[in-house]
Amino acid sequence: MSTTTRKLRAYVDHFLPREVVGPVIIVFSLEGVIDGIFTEYVPAAYETLGWGIVFLFSIVVVAYWGSVDEEGLDELEDRLDEIEEESVEGDGS
């Protein structure tokens, strides 16, 4: 696995922690309820746009949450340093 791929995985693991994935699955399992709310308040012509806004809002909230978590940022930086060290050691062999 390349260094870039490993760094990308570290970023994804940081900004989309497994603690978030479970609730996201639950929310999507309630899609019928959410769809009913959208049908009630959002015109059909703007439904896709509405879902897009909800999706983008969710990503922004998760990214913000990941960026203000000092302990998590320290862990991310440590993991990225480990990846760099492994890459240097792998290149030096």
Side-chain angles (χ1 to χ4, degrees):
M1 189 181 305
S2 74
T3 303
T4 306
T5 305
R6 293 174 66 203
K7 283 184 179 182
L8 180 61
R9 179 175 278 176
Y11 278 109
V12 169
D13 284 345
H14 174 72
F15 286 107
L16 278 177
R18 288 170 182 81
E19 295 87 12
V20 173
V21 174
V24 167
I25 291 171
I26 292 170
V27 167
F28 280 116
S29 69
L30 296 172
E31 183 179 359
V33 174
I34 296 169
D35 190 42
I37 293 170
F38 261 69
T39 303
E40 186 70 31
Y41 296 106
V42 178
Y46 296 108
E47 186 172 344
T48 302
L49 179 63
W51 278 110
I53 290 170
V54 168
F55 178 74
L56 290 175
F57 177 73
S58 300
I59 289 176
V60 167
V61 167
V62 169
Y64 177 75
W65 176 32
S67 68
V68 296
D69 181 15
E70 290 295 328
E71 182 180 321
L73 284 174
D74 292 339
E75 290 175 15
L76 175 62
E77 290 172 2
D78 291 343
R79 180 66 186 135
L80 292 174
D81 289 341
E82 288 174 13
I83 291 170
E84 282 293 326
E85 289 173 9
E86 290 172 4
S87 174
V88 169
E89 289 174 5
D91 292 342
S93 297

